[in-house]
């Protein structure tokens, strides 16, 4: 009697084990990401007594609306001012910074000028410099210019992002063929018109990618505003919540509003990724089929 063929079994078992391991890692990563957000949502709906009792899953002490009202009423409505400041810093800074970064990356890719690669090497070196190291030099420069404790002392430094320039060059290499630019020049278009009318449209996915990176970095920016600003009316949300959290050890009424403020602070980033992901995902596969 002929024995059954089991040659495929040893190969099937490692494949199933590998798939199970991958699923386990993905599941742990999802839990690691979502559990803090779930805690934040539950904690934001509790009053102070329920928050300290660590009984977040019960319906007792539900105070979401009251916490929201207290948040915008605390200290004369400072949180609303901080939120507007963060939107100005982040949205305007990310939009202008993305345009500058992609334009610089396009120039590094498509044009030839002296010491181009050496200058690009400096850009790559700047990527590795921590932002906290630059805070003191930026403060001294802002002090000499007389813009310390102003909107511009925080807004101008976030416009320039070396990593965005690097991404801009990578996207320019992948999405802007030299033949298309040559055809536009043959048709009589100048360099600026070629970039604005032809290249910039192809660089749309790159703009969205750099914008999202810039938006996240500026929205979460903390150390630079702390160094530059002393006027509370100019604080972003990150610095304002830090100040309230420091006061909570003396005044416990700050705890619920800090948690509610933290919950509202993550909403713009989530909204930006949800609204822009279709442009981002289309750019990731734009060069897959020719």
């Amino acid at each position: 009697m002929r024995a059954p063929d089991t040659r495929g079994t040893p190969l099937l078992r490692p494949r199933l084990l590998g798939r199970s391991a991958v699923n386990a890692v993905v599941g742990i990563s999802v839990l690691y990401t979502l559990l803090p957000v779930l805690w934040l949502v539950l904690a934001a709906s509790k009053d102070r007594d329920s928050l300290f009792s660590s009984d977040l899953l019960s319906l007792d002490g539900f105070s979401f609306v009251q916490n929201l009202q207290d948040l915008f009423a605390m200290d004369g409505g400072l949180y609303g001012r901080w939120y507007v400041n963060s939107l100005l810093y982040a949205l305007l800074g990310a939009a202008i910074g993305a345009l500058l970064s992609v334009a610089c990356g396009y120039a590094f890719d498509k044009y030839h000028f002296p010491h181009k690669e050496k200058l690009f090497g400096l850009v790559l070196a700047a990527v590795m410099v921590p932002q906290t190291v630059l805070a003191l030099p930026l403060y001294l420069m802002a002090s000499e210019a007389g813009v310390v404790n102003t909107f511009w002392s925080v807004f101008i430094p976030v416009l320039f992002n070396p990593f965005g320039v690097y991404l801009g060059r990578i996207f320019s290499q992948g999405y802007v063929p030299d033949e298309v630019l040559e055809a536009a020049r043959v048709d009589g278009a100048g360099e600026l018109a070629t970039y604005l009318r032809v290249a910039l449209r192809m660089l749309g996915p790159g703009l969205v990618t750099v914008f999202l990176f810039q938006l996240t970095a500026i929205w979460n920016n903390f150390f630079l505003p702390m160094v530059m600003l002393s006027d509370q009316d100019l604080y972003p949300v990150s610095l304002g919540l830090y100040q309230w959290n420091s006061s909570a050890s003396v005044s416990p009424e700050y705890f619920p509003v800090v948690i509610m403020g933290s919950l509202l602070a993550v909403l713009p980033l989530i909204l930006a990724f949800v609204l822009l992901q279709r442009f981002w995902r289309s750019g990731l596969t734009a060069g897959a089929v020719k």
Side-chain angles (χ1 to χ4, degrees):
M1 184 175 180
R2 187 175 180 180
D5 188 2
T6 58
R7 287 177 295 176
T9 304
L11 295 176
L12 183 60
R13 186 175 301 170
R15 184 179 301 176
L16 292 176
L17 290 176
R19 185 178 300 174
S20 300
V22 170
N23 291 335
V25 172
V26 171
I28 293 173
S29 301
V30 170
L31 289 176
Y32 179 79
T33 303
L34 294 183
L35 285 179
V37 178
L38 177 61
W39 182 92
L40 186 62
V41 172
L42 294 175
S45 64
K46 299 296 181 179
D47 58 21
R48 188 177 63 186
D49 295 334
S50 300
L51 185 62
F52 285 110
S53 66
S54 300
D55 192 12
L56 296 180
L57 297 179
S58 69
L59 297 178
D60 297 334
F62 184 82
S63 185
F64 186 89
V65 176
Q66 185 62 45
N67 289 342
L68 193 62
Q69 293 175 350
D70 293 342
L71 172 66
F72 287 98
M74 184 68 69
D75 292 346
L78 265 180
Y79 184 81
R81 182 63 180 268
W82 295 340
Y83 212 88
V84 172
N85 291 341
S86 289
L87 290 175
L88 289 175
Y89 292 136
L91 292 179
L92 287 179
I96 298 174
L99 290 172
L100 291 175
S101 297
V102 170
C104 291
Y106 172 84
F108 272 114
D109 176 42
K110 301 304 181 184
Y111 294 110
H112 299 281
F113 47 88
H115 309 295
K116 181 178 80 169
E117 295 304 326
K118 293 181 180 178
L119 291 174
F120 191 69
L122 291 177
V123 172
L124 295 180
V127 174
M128 297 181 288
V129 179
Q131 294 300 312
T132 53
V133 176
L134 301 176
L136 182 57
L138 288 173
Y139 174 81
L140 295 177
M141 294 172 63
S143 179
E144 289 293 330
V147 295
V148 172
N149 198 31
T150 65
F151 171 84
W152 305 107
S153 63
V154 177
F155 181 73
I156 293 177
V158 301
L159 298 180
F160 306 99
N161 181 12
F163 184 65
V165 176
Y166 168 75
L167 287 180
R169 183 174 186 178
I170 296 300
F171 275 99
S172 178
Q173 291 173 344
Y175 295 135
V176 185
D178 294 336
E179 295 80 6
V180 175
L181 300 181
E182 289 299 329
R185 295 181 182 120
V186 169
D187 290 339
E191 294 299 326
L192 183 59
T194 299
Y195 173 71
L196 293 177
R197 297 178 182 177
V198 179
L200 193 58
R201 296 183 180 181
M202 298 179 179
L203 291 171
L207 277 171
V208 173
T209 302
V210 177
F211 175 82
L212 288 175
F213 277 111
Q214 282 278 83
L215 180 70
T216 304
I218 299 172
W219 187 268
N220 294 326
N221 193 10
F222 169 76
F223 195 71
L224 181 64
M226 185 176 67
V227 171
M228 292 290 187
L229 302 177
S230 59
D231 185 359
Q232 291 186 357
D233 290 338
L234 297 174
Y235 282 3
V237 168
S238 57
L239 184 57
L241 290 178
Y242 171 78
Q243 182 183 20
W244 277 359
N245 188 57
S246 301
S247 303
S249 57
V250 179
S251 304
E253 64 270 12
Y254 280 103
F255 277 116
V257 297
V258 167
I259 295 175
M260 176 60 73
S262 301
L263 176 62
L264 296 185
V266 302
L267 295 183
L269 298 181
I270 296 175
L271 186 63
F273 275 87
V274 170
L275 294 178
L276 298 177
Q277 68 171 341
R278 65 187 184 94
F279 300 101
W280 197 21
R281 293 174 61 184
S282 65
L284 294 178
T285 58
V289 179
K290 293 187 178 181

